[in-house]
Amino acid sequence: MYIDTHAHLNDPRYEGERDAIVSSFKENGLKFVINVGYDAKSSLKGVELASKWEDVYATVAVHPHDAKDFTDEDLKRFEEYSKNPKVVAIGETGLDYHYDFSPRETQKKVFIHHLELAHSLGLPIIIHLREAFDDMLKILKEHRALLEYGAVLHCYSGSAEMAKVYLDMGLYISFAGPVTFRNARGLLDAVRAVPLGRILTETDCPYLAPEPHRGQLNYPHYVRYVADKIAELKGITPGELNAQVLKNARALFKRIRHE
Ligand code: NI
């Protein structure tokens, strides 16, 4: 069974379709999905979904794109939402210097607020990182104690060398649809460089649909294309990869139920 550790079923694009998508997880070979929040509203929506469906978990945060709109109220809300045992992490939070939708200094400040929140709640962190590798590394080194409950770099887009730096800091690395793209050579080196014990699989849906659905709306069950590609690169079967990803997901997201 496949695992999607980063989906945005809270996205308005799934309106009217959500229940059908989640109720067909099992027949589509999905074990569970972690629905990731990107602002207060989407975080609440994720918690509601997780409360309704057994095989959906939630995370709460403000995305770096929206860091400029972040308020102390958001922190209080997220603390409240996290009382729900199906909230398994704080995220996604981080730095995005590709779009720069929020000023970089604001992104950094808001990211550190999220690190502090995750630590105070004993939860791991889901990190969004795009074109800000050096600043991210600097913040994580300065705030290393706040990573006590673990972290994952989601939708990894960097080099094998950079992956090693973050692996040395104890982070997990999660791969999404781009590993299936034709121009993914550098990224494939990164997949080869990350040990099996630190790999997670995700879709980041509705974005980044893997081949053969590239350019279309993405769905959690398309994670099979991502996982199958990683298994191929690692020279193991998809079943073996999924068993390892399940182990990794449970080690990082400790609130995920064992059955
Ligand atoms: Ni995302």
Side-chain angles (χ1 to χ4, degrees):
M1 298 274 266
Y2 293 88
I3 295 164
D4 184 359
T5 63
H6 192 116
H8 301 288
L9 288 173
N10 39 9
D11 189 279
R13 270 163 272 199
Y14 298 114
E15 211 62 68
E17 225 194 322
R18 227 168 256 127
D19 283 357
I21 294 170
V22 180
S23 57
S24 57
F25 277 176
K26 287 271 149 17
E27 69 194 66
N28 279 321
L30 275 172
K31 188 165 180 68
F32 61 78
V33 170
I34 299 177
N35 186 90
V36 174
Y38 46 88
D39 59 13
K41 201 173 144 201
S42 64
S43 294
L44 177 59
K45 186 120 201 142
V47 175
E48 287 167 357
L49 266 175
S51 304
K52 182 170 175 188
W53 298 96
E54 200 185 339
D55 39 11
V56 177
Y57 293 92
T59 75
V60 296
V62 172
H63 194 281
H65 287 343
D66 297 311
K68 59 184 183 311
D69 303 319
F70 177 85
T71 65
D72 287 346
E73 276 304 300
D74 288 325
L75 273 187
K76 280 184 213 137
R77 275 192 207 109
F78 295 154
E79 204 176 334
E80 192 59 34
Y81 297 163
S82 300
K83 288 179 183 162
N84 184 318
K86 292 199 74 188
V87 173
V88 298
I90 297 300
E92 60 185 294
T93 176
L95 303 175
D96 192 312
Y97 293 177
H98 180 74
Y99 289 107
D100 278 323
F101 286 153
S102 288
R104 293 181 179 184
E105 286 313 308
T106 309
Q107 292 189 43
K108 289 185 202 172
K109 219 168 62 192
V110 170
F111 177 50
I112 293 167
H113 279 313
H114 282 88
L115 293 180
E116 289 166 345
L117 175 69
H119 188 260
S120 74
L121 296 168
L123 288 173
I125 302 144
I126 295 176
I127 298 175
H128 172 104
L129 171 58
R130 198 155 175 208
E131 294 175 21
F133 282 88
D134 295 338
D135 277 2
M136 176 58 70
L137 196 58
K138 194 161 165 261
I139 291 177
L140 294 185
K141 279 186 172 158
E142 275 168 19
H143 299 271
R144 205 158 185 163
L146 300 178
L147 300 176
E148 188 182 350
Y149 302 103
V152 54
L153 279 186
H154 110 86
C155 195
Y156 187 73
S157 61
S159 65
E161 289 68 35
M162 200 50 84
K164 282 178 193 151
V165 173
Y166 287 103
L167 286 166
D168 283 345
M169 298 196 67
L171 271 65
Y172 287 78
I173 308 276
S174 182
F175 294 100
V179 299
T180 68
F181 296 171
R182 217 161 298 156
N183 54 356
R185 199 169 309 152
L187 189 55
L188 301 190
D189 288 338
V191 174
R192 291 188 190 97
V194 179
L196 276 174
R198 295 283 194 86
I199 287 182
L200 293 174
T201 53
E202 64 168 282
T203 59
D204 203 15
C205 69
Y207 313 104
L208 293 169
E211 292 288 3
H213 299 285
R214 190 174 182 179
Q216 300 164 12
L217 185 63
N218 197 0
Y219 292 96
H221 64 276
Y222 290 172
V223 77
R224 72 166 56 241
Y225 300 108
V226 176
D228 290 358
K229 182 69 193 182
I230 296 171
E232 181 198 316
L233 290 167
K234 292 294 194 186
I236 57 176
T237 66
E240 286 166 336
L241 178 78
N242 288 336
Q244 183 64 53
V245 169
L246 176 61
K247 232 167 142 180
N248 299 346
R250 282 175 171 160
L252 178 62
F253 305 110
K254 294 200 172 55
R255 286 186 175 182
I256 285 176
R257 270 193 300 260
H258 288 240
E259 74 270 349

